Amino acid sequence: MPVTPFDPLWKRSNAPRLRRWQWWLPFSLLALALAAAWWVSRPAVQREFALRKLAPLVDSLTLEYVHLTPWSLVVRGAEFAYQGGKYHVGKLEVDFNPLALLTHTVSITRLALQHTDLDLRELTIPPDNEPFPGLLPTLDHGYALALEDVDAALSVMLKGEHGATVRLADGHFKPHVAGSLNVAVTYAAPTGTDRIDALGSVELSQLSGGRIRALSAVLETKFQFAALPAA
């Protein structure tokens, strides 16, 4: 390449400018990425995205608040209807460890569910031969479940005006380690006088790779019927 008298001036005037661009370019890209992450993490943006994506999958959907981060999920005021069933979730809080997915484990460090109602009086579902429809195919993907803390309460309305309340608390189990989950269930008949209360625990043994090797329940049950002289 020929050398001209202007070569030294060209090198002195452009080399520093090129170096400045080399420094500013990665910082600009980082700033844009942070701005995009901040925008996506806004609850209002996530709420609109969830409504747009989930509404076509159900019969109806309303959502008051949702906030998802890489380590937590908060949902408030969710109501949806599907196949005749109506569901209301007052508040759902889930804390999880995303790094556990590297070991094919869904690790939930805290699960809190409050003010939740399940109206199954008009539910219509196709017949299924599986004992737990929808659950076994999920476990078949090979992901184990680790659970450390549970505090969930919900009410269920069944056909014929039957109703029940369920409370789950103090769960702790993980792959290759047996654990338990405290359960309290109350069933009330439409008459208002017949009642069944069950209190106990559900134990899971060797949850590994999406497989539950042993599942047992120990419950203390009390019956109260109008036809009986005492509970």
Side-chain angles (χ1 to χ4, degrees):
M1 182 177 182
V3 178
T4 66
F6 298 100
D7 285 345
L9 180 61
W10 173 264
K11 293 179 181 180
R12 286 196 302 270
S13 62
N14 287 277
R17 184 177 301 175
L18 291 175
R19 284 196 295 269
R20 285 198 299 269
W21 273 108
Q22 291 173 355
W23 281 104
W24 278 105
L25 182 59
F27 283 110
S28 300
L29 295 176
L30 178 61
L32 290 175
L34 292 176
W38 170 80
W39 176 263
V40 172
S41 65
R42 296 178 59 194
V45 175
Q46 294 184 354
R47 174 181 175 273
E48 294 300 325
F49 179 82
L51 289 174
R52 186 169 60 253
K53 295 296 183 181
L54 298 179
L57 304 178
V58 296
D59 299 332
S60 64
L61 174 64
T62 59
L63 186 60
E64 177 183 337
Y65 177 91
V66 60
H67 189 206
L68 175 65
T69 69
W71 52 86
S72 66
L73 171 65
V74 178
V75 177
R76 291 199 298 264
E79 294 186 3
F80 63 96
Y82 182 66
Q83 292 186 346
K86 299 178 181 179
Y87 311 91
H88 170 78
V89 179
K91 186 177 182 180
L92 171 65
E93 295 181 349
V94 182
D95 296 337
F96 45 83
N97 179 13
L99 298 179
L101 293 175
L102 299 176
T103 60
H104 292 274
T105 301
V106 178
S107 177
I108 299 177
T109 57
R110 188 176 73 93
L111 172 62
L113 183 65
Q114 302 174 355
H115 311 297
T116 298
D117 303 313
L118 310 181
D119 188 350
L120 308 180
R121 290 174 294 182
E122 304 297 330
L123 180 64
T124 57
I125 57 176
D128 198 322
N129 295 326
E130 294 181 354
F132 304 101
L135 176 61
L136 297 182
T138 302
L139 297 178
D140 286 340
H141 285 82
Y143 281 88
L145 177 63
L147 188 62
E148 297 182 15
D149 185 19
V150 176
D151 185 7
L154 54 91
S155 63
V156 183
M157 291 176 284
L158 304 172
K159 293 182 179 181
E161 301 303 323
H162 296 266
T165 59
V166 182
R167 178 71 182 270
L168 307 175
D170 303 328
H172 56 88
F173 53 83
K174 57 184 179 179
H176 307 291
V177 177
S180 63
L181 185 65
N182 293 336
V183 180
V185 180
T186 298
Y187 162 77
T191 59
T193 56
D194 297 343
R195 178 187 177 103
I196 300 176
D197 295 295
L199 179 65
S201 63
V202 177
E203 297 184 357
L204 298 94
S205 177
Q206 297 296 321
L207 184 68
S208 175
R211 297 182 300 272
I212 300 177
R213 298 185 180 177
L215 176 64
S216 61
V218 178
L219 299 174
E220 179 182 351
T221 307
K222 295 182 179 180
F223 301 90
Q224 180 177 348
F225 296 141
L228 298 178

